Amino acid sequence: HFLTFLFLMGKSTASHIYSFCIADALAVMSVDLGSESMKIAIVKPGVPMEIVLNKESQRKTPVTVALKENERLFGDSAMGMSIKNPKIALRYFQDLLGKHIDNPQVTLYRWRFPQHELVKDERRQTVIFKLSHEMQYSPEEILAMVLNYSRGLAEEFAEQPVKDAVITVPVYFNQAERRAVLHAAQMADLKVLQLINDNTAVALNYGVFRRKDINATVQNIMFYDMGAGNTVCTIVTYQTVKTKDSGTQPQLQIRGVGFDRTLGGLEMEYRLRDYLVKLFNKQQPSKDVRQNLRAMAKLLKEANRLKTILSANADHVAQIEGLLDDVDFKAKVSRQEFEDLCSDLFQRVPGPVLQALSSAEMNLDEIDQVILVGGATRVPKVQEVLLKAVDKDELGKNINADEAAAMGAVYQAAALSKAFKVKPFIVRDAAIFPIQVEFTREVEEEDKSKSLKHNKRILFQRMAPYPQRKVITFNRYTDDFEFCVNYGDLAFLSQDDLQAFGSLNLTTVKLRGVGDSFRKHLDYESKGIKAHFNMDESGVLSLDRVESVFETVVEDKPEEESTLTSKYTVLLPKYIWVARNCYRNIGFLKSTLSGSCVPLFKIFVASVMVLQIDLFIYPGVASLTQDPKEKEESGKEEEMSKSRGDSTDTKMEEKKPKVPKKQKLVDEISVELDVRDVLDLLEEELKSSVKKLQDLTVRDLEKQEREKSANSLEAFIFETQDKLYQEEYQFVSTEEQREEISRKLSEASNWMEEEGYRATTKELKEKLSELKKLCRSLFFRVEERRKWPDRLNALENLLNHSTIFLKGARMIPEADQIFTEVELSTLEKAISETVTWKNETLAEQNKLPPTEKPTLLSKDIELKIAALDREVQYLLNKAKFNATAPPDSEKVIPPKEEKGEGELPLAALDPC
């Protein structure tokens, strides 16, 4: 019945009900992985898109991991450690994902961070951070730690588990780099709904909050994003389009992309740092600050602060206390000096704009607006050069430059999750690197000689939209062969970008079983070897399957209709008619369908819901719901038309030649993939990394638990020692009792100083439990005396009100009396017993010294209050019920002419 109800209500209403039923599903999150910091956003049932605050209540968290021998630090804590011990603090490691150790990006990283030792992974030829002989981690493992930490922040903020995530990546990440991010997420046990390009996430966020401004007219918006590590320029087209399923909806399409991998705020900071180094060495000729890693880290931090301040001021004084050998550093730097230091960097600002226009095949006149994104765009000189390059009146600053990508990504996460229903916004992303298939086959020349011909077929062109599936057909092969999947023409990249790009060869695909397939099907006509490729939502290319396809002509034999099919064909209209009308009377459904028809109907309704077939277009329904006379007339007309058309149809069939029926046969071909760019992790390596990270997490949790236990013990010792000198504690304890507690506290404090640093969590908890047990009776006596005034005052007020209520009830005339004598006597008895208990208990308590366990307990007072209040409430409810009850028509009581002197109206019974 529920399935039928959902179906009859229609697809839209059913989806709303379905969303309501799973509203308690898990929340989803997004992680905007910037070079310097990350932003986390969540969506959970009842809460719209929201940025997650970290433990310091900040909206962005540094992407930094500090790895000590027995502890890991993240975020701001790790940033602080990067100054104290730069060797253990890892930053900007995303540049090393999916890179061989001989990549120029690795060389640049070594120059920027000479304190880190990078060694080679012998199998994969990639990079490994070596902190010690035991502590060696790949960039994927470091990123997995960050992702796991981000999930912890999201779960704490959402107050529920979070498993699904959308992660942003730079648009220029190639296949190896994207796979590396997915490996990291897998290590962190995070389900990636999608890797979304950060420029696409920004464009989505911009469009979502401006849906009303998007119409059929094309709008071309340029987003210029300069962050800490890179710069990306994107041209996006917004317009509404008609869709098959949901009508007219807004769409964004990535039209053009340009980028510069190394142009960003970090490079400017290094220019400033080196300038500060020169100034310090000039002030202190006998010292060389370059030889001290901690001093260089301090200068880099000061350069970051200086860059931010110079964006709003003409000059500023850089100062660091105790920079080197307790020598302070102080120097004035102007904005002009900063701009001179970075003059060559500012010359590169227009580069991504020109690349984006070239890839989109557009000119500046077609761009409606240029919008700034990213923290480094706040530098005035960047805005000045960019404004001149785009030839616009002004630059758009109407978007949150820091959080736009995180908010756009979390909207996409909600759209991809089954737990939420969001307004559709079509996203057409683009692959900026073309991919092609290359293969070599033997051809016969005119002179009958044979030679090898190298062929190339474009699989995905530059700026091809994705997700998308493609099929490549090989028609000339009858035996096993191989082909290569490589990047296409990358001439649009500079020489430096090409070197940083890595291998241009993706995969060599070796096919096995082609010859066997042909030998098994000699009587069939070959339709080629078909390779099915898929570029998914994350921009990751995969080979789904390879199959050998054959065809043959078969004789067309008339098929006999089975008894079961004919039975269902006869009965089907009846069930459709029932489904259409069951909402009018559910009882009719029960009475009409009985026996074997009920399971058949259930099967039909379930299958219709799954396939989303509209019942009301079934041709037999109309005749079932017609009037009998109309049905008879229409039947006659159908018979006449059939008789007229029979002869014509017969002639047409005789003239029309029979089309031979073809049978298709598909054979699966086994595939061997030989990865040519960066080898994927083996299953054993992945499991090892997962276990390594899990062990670190368990160790961190144990350490946190131990620290929490140690802090609790220390706090209890200090607080209790202070309480022993407070008046209320001295009043309820003897000198001997306080001395005993003080002695135990001193022993515990000494134990903490001497042995506490190596004590286990269990020992710390036992020590705390022992002290609490010792002080329990003292704390109990103080706590009881604190509660007495309020509890006794409440009891006294209730006794007064109850007594007044009882007196009023007894003054009601007998004719109007609504309470029985038993009820009033019960209340009177309860009042009397409560007064007696209170007086006796107080008297007994006053005889006891304050150092003894009290006989007057707050919980007993609460029980007496509850018991007396229950009796009063019973009578009050009875009075209210009688006051609102309708008059009895059979029993008419004439009104009295005079009211007795002591009579009260019914409303006066309630003391309130």
Side-chain angles (χ1 to χ4, degrees), residues 681-743:
L681 289 168
L682 298 175
E683 187 175 352
E684 295 78 13
E685 294 173 328
L686 187 60
K687 288 181 179 179
S688 175
S689 296
V690 169
K691 186 178 184 306
K692 186 193 301 185
L693 298 182
Q694 287 176 346
D695 291 344
L696 290 174
T697 302
V698 170
R699 188 194 68 183
D700 290 345
L701 292 175
E702 290 176 350
K703 188 175 185 301
Q704 291 173 10
E705 183 67 19
R706 187 196 173 282
E707 289 177 350
K708 184 179 178 181
S709 300
N711 292 337
S712 299
L713 178 57
E714 288 182 352
F716 184 83
I717 291 172
F718 294 140
E719 289 174 4
T720 307
Q721 285 176 337
D722 181 63
K723 288 175 181 178
L724 293 178
Y725 294 97
Q726 296 177 12
E727 185 177 350
E728 61 178 344
Y729 285 89
Q730 290 182 346
F731 180 72
V732 298
S733 61
T734 63
E735 186 70 29
E736 292 78 10
Q737 290 173 341
R738 292 195 296 273
E739 287 179 357
E740 175 66 16
I741 293 174
S742 180
R743 184 175 61 82

Side-chain angles (χ1 to χ4, degrees), residues 241-249 426:
V241 296
K242 290 184 179 180
T243 62
K244 189 175 182 181
D245 299 328
S246 52
T248 302
Q249 298 296 342
I426 303 168

Side-chain angles (χ1 to χ4, degrees), residues 172-183:
Y172 54 77
F173 262 24
N174 58 28
Q175 294 294 309
E177 291 166 311
R178 292 174 188 270
R179 294 199 308 268
V181 176
L182 292 176
H183 287 152

Side-chain angles (χ1 to χ4, degrees), residues 397-413:
K397 301 176 184 178
N398 52 349
I399 194 171
N400 190 321
D402 290 325
E403 299 174 2
M407 297 299 279
V410 82
Y411 186 90
Q412 184 72 353

Side-chain angles (χ1 to χ4, degrees), residues 301-353:
K301 182 181 179 181
E302 182 64 13
N304 178 279
R305 189 182 71 88
L306 197 61
K307 181 198 72 175
T308 304
I309 295 175
L310 289 177
S311 296
N313 298 275
D315 53 57
H316 187 67
V317 176
Q319 50 186 356
I320 305 174
E321 294 183 3
L323 176 59
L324 182 63
D325 298 335
D326 297 327
V327 175
D328 297 339
F329 171 65
K330 191 174 184 180
K332 186 176 182 180
V333 181
S334 66
R335 182 192 291 180
Q336 185 60 50
E337 290 175 313
F338 168 61
E339 292 176 354
D340 292 341
L341 290 169
C342 304
S343 58
D344 61 318
L345 298 180
F346 296 136
Q347 292 174 9
R348 290 160 56 184
V349 167
V353 175

